[in-house]
Each structure stands twice: as C-alpha cells, then as structure tokens.
Amino acid sequence: MDRLDRKILRLLQEDSTLAVADLAKKVGLSTTPCWRRIQKMEEDGVIRKRVALLDPAKINTKVTVFVSIRTNSHSTEWLKRFSEVIVEFPEVVEFYRMSGEVDYLLRVVVPDIAAYDAFYKRMIARIEIRDVSSAFAMEQIKYTTEMPLDYMMVDNQKSGEE
Amino acid sequence: MDRLDRKILRLLQEDSTLAVADLAKKVGLSTTPCWRRIQKMEEDGVIRKRVALLDPAKINTKVTVFVSIRTNSHSTEWLKRFSEVIVEFPEVVEFYRMSGEVDYLLRVVVPDIAAYDAFYKRMIARIEIRDVSSAFAMEQIKYTTEMPLDYMMVDNQKSGEE
DNA sequence: AAACAAAAGAAATTTAATTCCCTCATATAG
DNA sequence: CTATATGAGGGAATTAAATTTCTTTTGTTT
C-alpha cells in the first residue's frame, strides 16, 4: 500500500463510478496496473463494498435522532438479545456500545417526530430497556462515508505530496 | 416512484456494482426500462452518488469518538466559523446541530486514543469552544449507509417538489 | 553485469452500458 | 367510437468500459 493506492482510495471514496482509465490518468498510471491495484484492495478487503447513497430528503428520512441507552448491568443474555433486536430495525443506521455514562448509542433516521415516536414504541415493545433518552438533530452539517486516509500505514514512506 | 423503483434502490444501496441486466432480472424488468429508471433517479437526485466503502480497521481508523459540544449562546459569526473549521477535519465524518443539552455532536474516527488526543488539541487550537465532552465507542455493532425505504411515498409522485 | 522479481503498459478480447427503434397499453380529443 | 398522442416496456445494435494476454521496463540481488 503506497501513495498511489491511497490516491486511488481517495478518488473511489468520492465517486466509484469513475472509469478505471480515467482513474488511472488522475493517479498517473495506465489502466492495467491501476485496475490490478483496485482488484487487490478489493480482495484484501480494504475496499469493503460499493454502494449507492440516497438523498434522505427524497426518500422521506430527513430526521436523525440519537438515542442514548443506559442499562444497570444487564445479563449477557439480555445484551445478546438487545443487539439482535435493535440491529433488525432498518431505521437504526448506526449502533455503538459506548464507554462512560451511556451504554449504547443509536442513530435512527425517520421522516418526522411522529414516526420517531412510532419507532420508539415498537422498540420498547420488543425489549425492556432501563433508561432511554432521545436527542434530535436539527441539522446535518456534515455526513460523509469518506474515511481519513492520513493514518494508513505506508511501506514506502514517500509521504507528503499530492 | 413505485415499488419497482424501491426494489432497485434497495439493491443499489446494498451493492452498486450489480450489472443493470442482473438488477433488471431481480426486479422483473428488461434492461432498458430498468436502466432508464436508474437514470431518472440519478437525475432527480434520489441517488446522490455511488461510492466505495473502506474497512476502517484496514485503513487504521477503527476508533470512533462522539464529541458533544455545549456553547452558551455564541454569536452567529462564531457559529459560522465553527462549522467551517470543523467540517475541514477529515476525521470528522458526521457533524450535527442538536436540540437539547448538547448543541453540537461530532462523530470522529481515529486510529487510537492518542490520535484522538492529537486531533482534540488541533481542534481547540483552531477555535475556542466552551464545553467539550468525549465518549468513546467500544464497539460498532451496526453501521450502514442503507436508509429505510419504508417511508417513501408509494404512488405516482407527480406533485412538484424541489 | 546477469538474472530474477515486481510492477507497468499496449493491444486484444470480453462484457456491460447505452442507444435506437419498435410494440403495446392507456388515455384523451375530435 | 375512432384517431392520435403519450408513456412504459422490450429486442437488438452499437458504443464504451472492464478484463485478459502478452510484452516491456525497472529495480534488486548476487
């Protein structure tokens, strides 16, 4: 993994429809070696998948709610079931086990407050939860699937330029 | 936008490398009309973009930190500058203006605690912030870019939007 | 400097995207 | 009712891109 791979990843994180030939040109390679690098990174799992991103407003899911969940030390059994139940909801797009005050944090997307309430009722109907608190996002100022590539380990340390 | 469009979106949200011909077969169409539906949804902005998703572990960004920021009513100027500064950090992958106790919420991705500390120092060096608190994710139980399609309007949406 | 390995590139081939043209169903005006 | 526009679907040709094959370059080791 060198600086060319990193350049390729940067571009594919922005737009994966880019033709290999065009990508190669931007990176300063010809299509074959560029294609091979992409293949390798897919085999190695560096590139996990390629997906289409939708406009939340256009599909009626413009409201994001962060749901903080506190549990006073439940059993392992409860934890397992809790995860299974939560993961199934398509409205839950992110789900973390946290350190500190909050034990679990969910990001939930819905059309509006009413839909959130409906979701909430469905959730607590499926599993008993001690303490839940919801915080609504008023505005999504940034959302990206692009990960920083600055921390990638590079064998050939030709780091620095672009 | 009908149920066929929704089927197409569901599949493309999972895997956008799917060939139009295969997609068409799964949906129950031939390639031409299927292709045209995809084109239309891209023109309409329903499909925002197509991207490659990377494996966080493989690019050394497996730690997620949620950063809660409280500000005792700052000026509009400060707000503007704050947003501009924060958005520029590639480590900040999500950034919300919130209702309630917390005013802003960031999701930050870094390799480890030390790198978070370095990020934190760089951030506060660039802008004065009243109250910051950081919560570390111990585990990412779910992360998806697939939005729920259940809330999409089903009928012929002729009503002028946009 | 010879020999090898690893990466790059040109050109041919295969596969998929895109266009063109036709059919069918529905709806609407004359 | 009939004629005619309209919109969606489909087959087949065309164009563009992905993939493979083969050759060349580059860098390293002995």
Side-chain angles (χ1 to χ4, degrees):
Chain A
M1 295 261 269
D2 59 5
R3 97 204 151 69
L4 291 180
D5 287 319
R6 200 155 54 182
K7 256 187 176 174
I8 292 169
L9 289 178
R10 182 175 312 116
L11 291 162
L12 287 181
Q13 278 199 112
E14 276 177 27
D15 179 9
S16 66
T17 65
L18 204 59
V20 179
D22 297 342
L23 185 55
K25 193 166 294 173
K26 283 175 192 272
V27 163
L29 271 177
S30 67
T31 80
T32 309
C34 184
W35 180 84
R36 278 195 285 242
R37 279 163 179 269
I38 297 166
Q39 289 303 309
K40 178 144 195 326
M41 291 193 286
E42 278 173 348
E43 279 163 26
D44 294 351
V46 177
I47 297 172
R48 207 158 53 78
K49 62 198 304 202
R50 290 151 183 263
V51 301
L53 299 183
L54 311 187
D55 182 337
K58 298 273 167 58
I59 57 168
N60 202 25
T61 56
K62 52 188 165 311
V63 170
T64 278
V65 187
F66 284 93
V67 182
S68 300
I69 294 173
R70 265 171 277 260
T71 76
N72 312 0
S73 65
H74 276 97
S75 66
T76 328
E77 255 318 300
W78 182 88
L79 243 97
K80 185 167 175 296
R81 188 168 129 64
F82 173 66
S83 288
E84 284 168 0
V85 167
I86 295 301
V87 159
E88 276 177 13
F89 284 99
E91 291 93 345
V92 176
V93 292
E94 299 181 50
F95 179 17
Y96 301 89
R97 185 161 59 80
M98 303 296 292
S99 72
E101 278 301 294
V102 168
D103 295 308
Y104 294 93
L105 184 63
L106 313 184
R107 184 162 83 90
V108 174
V109 296
V110 283
D112 49 41
I113 314 275
Y116 175 69
D117 192 48
F119 160 81
Y120 178 82
K121 282 174 180 159
R122 271 185 289 135
M123 181 173 73
I124 59 171
R126 295 226 34 209
I127 186 132
E128 187 232 342
I129 303 173
R130 204 63 71 89
D131 178 16
V132 182
S133 91
S134 310
F136 289 80
M138 305 309 290
E139 186 185 358
Q140 188 173 62
I141 300 170
K142 179 176 184 176
Y143 172 81
T144 183
T145 56
E146 294 176 40
M147 311 293 279
L149 299 176
D150 314 301
Y151 299 110
M152 262 176 75
M153 294 310 176
V154 179
D155 304 3
N156 316 5
Q157 282 287 29
K158 308 191 172 182
S159 59
E161 49 71 78
E162 184 79 3
Chain B
M1 296 261 268
D2 58 7
R3 124 205 127 65
L4 290 181
D5 288 318
R6 198 156 54 181
K7 255 187 177 175
I8 292 169
L9 290 178
R10 187 164 51 73
L11 290 163
L12 287 180
Q13 280 200 111
E14 278 177 27
D15 179 9
S16 66
T17 65
L18 205 60
V20 179
D22 297 341
L23 186 54
K25 193 165 295 173
K26 283 174 191 273
V27 164
L29 271 177
S30 67
T31 82
T32 308
C34 184
W35 181 84
R36 277 195 287 242
R37 279 164 180 267
I38 296 166
Q39 289 302 309
K40 180 147 194 324
M41 291 193 287
E42 276 172 350
E43 279 164 25
D44 294 351
V46 177
I47 296 173
R48 206 158 54 78
K49 62 197 306 203
R50 290 152 183 261
V51 302
L53 300 182
L54 310 187
D55 181 336
K58 298 274 167 57
I59 57 168
N60 201 24
T61 57
K62 52 189 165 307
V63 170
T64 278
V65 187
F66 284 92
V67 182
S68 300
I69 294 173
R70 267 169 277 257
T71 77
N72 313 359
S73 65
H74 275 96
S75 68
T76 329
E77 256 317 301
W78 182 88
L79 243 96
K80 185 166 175 294
R81 189 169 128 63
F82 173 66
S83 288
E84 284 167 0
V85 166
I86 295 301
V87 159
E88 276 177 12
F89 285 99
E91 291 94 343
V92 175
V93 293
E94 300 181 49
F95 180 15
Y96 302 88
R97 185 162 58 79
M98 304 296 294
S99 71
E101 276 302 294
V102 167
D103 295 307
Y104 295 93
L105 185 62
L106 314 184
R107 183 162 83 91
V108 175
V109 297
V110 283
D112 49 40
I113 313 275
Y116 175 69
D117 191 49
F119 161 82
Y120 177 82
K121 283 173 179 159
R122 270 185 289 135
M123 181 174 73
I124 60 172
R126 294 224 37 207
I127 186 131
E128 189 233 340
I129 302 171
R130 205 60 74 89
D131 178 16
V132 182
S133 91
S134 312
F136 288 80
M138 305 309 291
E139 187 186 357
Q140 189 174 60
I141 301 170
K142 179 176 184 177
Y143 171 81
T144 184
T145 56
E146 294 174 42
M147 311 291 280
L149 299 175
D150 313 302
Y151 299 110
M152 265 176 74
M153 298 309 176
V154 183
D155 284 59
N156 301 4
Q157 290 275 93
K158 291 297 183 185
S159 39
E161 56 163 76
E162 195 77 353

